[in-house]
């Protein structure tokens, strides 16, 4: 399901997870991500200005902008209205997932268990967010899940950083990793756009060195 979206995820390999308190900084933030060669963003609804940030970033037209921490239909609809191209949920919300499927809106439901995976698979979703990745058992858990769920692709998020990105991306079931380290709130508050661009470029460089499975 959603092959074009999954293809783009696989291309970028890293998804910056953003919590931007001050939506008036969204333009600069988008510019920094583009300058760093990482034109993709998961803008989380854990802060107030999320819809405004999505709108500003999506208006550029050259950034793949999605909404994260989508926990209810109201947020999902606000994200869609703001121009989000995809939704990400921290846990499996049947109402949000079913609505997204009705809308033909790409969605990565968050799962940390076989139960969540079964719920996703029942709906034809074979790519999910693995959250919270490190706290839920890390790569060891993904390795265990790969046995029965070898056809599922994961986007791990939660505890991914520059130091472990390559290890996660090397695992064949991992299509992309999400993380906030390159857009840490303190960088955004301080307007450290050059640093955001540098960290983004660093992540892109690490991802580009990871071998494709079977290559
Ligand atoms: C998320 O919302 O996906 C995570 O909270 C991001 O996790 P991180 O801050 O550990 O990267």
């Amino acid at each position: 399901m959603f092959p074009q979206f999954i293809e783009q995820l696989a291309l970028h390999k890293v998804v910056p997870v953003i919590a931007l308190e001050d939506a008036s900084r969204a333009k600069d933030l988008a510019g920094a991500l583009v300058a760093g060669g990482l034109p993709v963003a998961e803008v989380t609804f854990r802060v107030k200005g999320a819809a405004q940030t999505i709108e500003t970033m999506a208006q550029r037209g050259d950034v793949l902008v999605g909404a994260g921490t989508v926990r209810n239909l109201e947020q999902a609809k606000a994200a869609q209205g703001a121009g989000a191209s995809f939704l990400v949920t921290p846990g499996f919300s049947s109402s949000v997932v079913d609505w997204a499927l009705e809308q033909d809106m790409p969605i990565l439901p968050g799962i940390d268990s076989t139960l969540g995976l079964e719920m996703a698979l029942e709906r034809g979703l074979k790519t999910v967010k693995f959250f919270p990745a490190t706290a839920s058992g890390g790569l060891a858990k993904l390795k265990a899940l790969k046995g029965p769920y070898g056809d599922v692709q994961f986007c791990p998020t939660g505890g991914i950083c520059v130091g472990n990105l390559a290890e996660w991306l090397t695992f064949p079931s991992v299509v992309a990793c999400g993380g906030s380290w390159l857009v840490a709130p303190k960088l955004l508050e301080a307007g450290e756009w050059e640093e955001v661009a540098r960290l983004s470029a660093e992540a892109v460089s690490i991802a580009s060195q990871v071998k494709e499975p079977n290559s």
Side-chain angles (χ1 to χ4, degrees), residues 80-214:
Q80 185 190 49
S85 298
F86 64 94
L87 304 180
V88 185
T89 66
F92 196 101
S93 161
S94 301
S95 59
V96 172
V97 171
D98 291 340
W99 179 84
L101 294 178
E102 274 167 35
Q103 303 292 314
D104 205 22
M105 168 76 99
I107 183 161
L108 290 174
I111 66 96
D112 71 344
S113 68
T114 50
L115 175 62
L117 270 174
E118 291 295 346
M119 290 171 73
L121 289 169
E122 268 175 14
R123 290 160 172 85
L125 288 168
K126 287 190 163 186
T127 305
V128 296
K129 167 168 170 155
F130 174 43
F131 178 79
T134 304
S136 299
L139 263 175
K141 177 124 170 199
L142 272 198
K143 283 177 189 162
L145 288 172
K146 188 166 164 37
Y149 300 104
D151 55 341
V152 176
Q153 288 186 299
F154 297 88
C155 181
T157 311
I160 316 288
C161 63
V162 67
N164 60 21
L165 176 63
E167 194 185 1
W168 278 100
L169 285 176
T170 303
F171 192 66
S173 308
V174 171
V175 63
C177 288
S180 66
W181 84 93
L182 62 178
V183 285
K186 63 176 186 318
L187 292 177
L188 308 188
E189 278 159 31
E192 301 256 15
W193 309 123
E194 280 184 18
E195 182 62 359
V196 171
R198 188 192 70 76
L199 291 168
S200 301
E202 181 181 49
V204 169
S205 165
I206 291 169
S208 72
Q209 287 164 40
V210 171
K211 286 207 176 93
E212 296 295 333
N214 309 320

